[in-house]
Amino acid sequence: GDEAADRILEIGCGTGLLTARLCRLFPRARIDALDMAGGMVTQCRARLAGTAGLFCHVADLNKFRAEALYPLIVSSSTLHWMDPMAGVMETLAGMLTGQGRLVFALMVRGTLAELQAARRRAAPHKPPARQLPTMLTVRAALAQAGLRIEEEREESRRQAYASAGDLLRRLHEQGLTGGALARSGQVLNRADLRRLVLDYEAHYRAGDGVYASYQVAYFRARKA
């Protein structure tokens, strides 16, 4: 029960899918929805125009100054981009009230494993700069920030795509390729990408298209 959550902070609101649910679940709360992408925030504002108590901010979590602490902080599919994880959790813990809760979903190691493998084969000389966090990393970061885990689960999902090119386009639209997963010291050039697409199509067929795996972790933690 977070019925008493009269102030809610959402990290990485994107176009406002989760924000809309929060507005329905907590109609009387003040909700601060943050995202670093101005275009996303514009869409979120448009989607939820006229919602009392909702404030959308184009802001970086580390630079955002809240007027008061929050009994509830939520995030979906954003925290895995933030580095180092321990620092992020300490920042969030510092924004929670004494009994405050942090509820979030994020992608963990194993996500897009097929793409990682195809990339290693297609461009072995250009390894990705860093990897997604493991469950262990997230647990340790929460503990270090003085947050006690109340609930956690991990889910594997397999998603079908029309083609490897379609997968890459979708990831790009979601900001995933701009993210840490694909960033390396060296950007893949056209020839690398062509090799990657052919390799993916050869190894990861599903029906008429291809598949990709996602490892999603859910955590609910509270100030210890």
Side-chain angles (χ1 to χ4, degrees):
D2 292 296
E3 298 78 28
D6 54 349
R7 291 175 59 81
I8 300 168
L9 175 63
E10 183 189 0
I11 309 298
C13 62
T15 60
L17 291 175
L18 176 59
T19 321
R21 283 181 62 188
L22 291 170
C23 291
R24 280 198 301 275
L25 286 168
F26 303 97
R28 285 182 290 283
R30 176 196 165 104
I31 299 173
D32 286 306
L34 265 60
D35 203 289
M36 284 172 68
M40 297 267 192
V41 173
T42 302
Q43 286 183 59
C44 184
R45 278 195 188 117
R47 173 180 295 209
L48 296 163
T51 307
L54 173 65
F55 298 85
C56 299
H57 312 263
V58 180
D60 175 340
L61 169 63
N62 295 311
K63 298 189 181 73
F64 179 69
R65 292 287 163 262
E67 291 157 32
L69 297 174
Y70 297 92
L72 179 61
I73 298 179
V74 299
S75 179
S76 175
S77 298
T78 299
L79 297 182
H80 47 257
W81 299 137
M82 301 187 179
D83 223 18
M85 183 66 64
V88 174
M89 294 307 175
E90 279 176 1
T91 299
L92 294 175
M95 299 170 91
L96 283 170
T97 57
Q99 289 291 299
R101 273 206 177 92
L102 172 62
V103 181
F104 62 98
L106 80 173
M107 292 193 211
V108 291
R109 191 86 44 95
T111 292
L112 299 174
E114 303 84 7
L115 184 58
Q116 298 272 27
R119 184 197 167 115
R120 279 194 297 274
R121 290 187 294 262
H125 53 297
K126 296 180 180 179
R130 61 167 269 244
Q131 291 187 295
L132 286 171
T134 61
M135 291 290 278
L136 220 58
T137 310
V138 181
R139 281 188 207 116
L142 286 166
Q144 193 178 318
L147 295 166
R148 193 181 77 249
I149 296 169
E150 293 184 314
E151 192 190 340
E152 68 164 78
R153 61 191 168 89
E154 193 179 354
E155 215 176 77
S156 303
R157 291 189 207 148
R158 189 177 264 204
Q159 181 97 23
Y161 295 88
S163 66
D166 175 50
L167 164 66
L168 290 174
R169 259 193 310 280
R170 301 274 195 94
L171 293 178
H172 185 68
E173 282 159 17
Q174 291 165 33
L176 276 165
T177 39
L181 259 190
R183 247 201 331 257
S184 82
Q186 311 98 331
V187 178
L188 296 188
N189 60 33
R190 272 223 167 97
D192 295 332
L193 279 170
R194 246 197 319 273
R195 275 198 305 277
L196 188 151
V197 164
L198 288 170
D199 181 283
Y200 205 103
E201 299 271 354
H203 287 90
Y204 309 112
R205 308 276 331 150
D208 292 337
V210 298
Y211 66 86
S213 305
Y214 294 86
Q215 284 294 117
V216 187
Y218 301 87
F219 283 89
R220 193 178 79 227
R222 127 177 269 161
K223 265 198 160 165

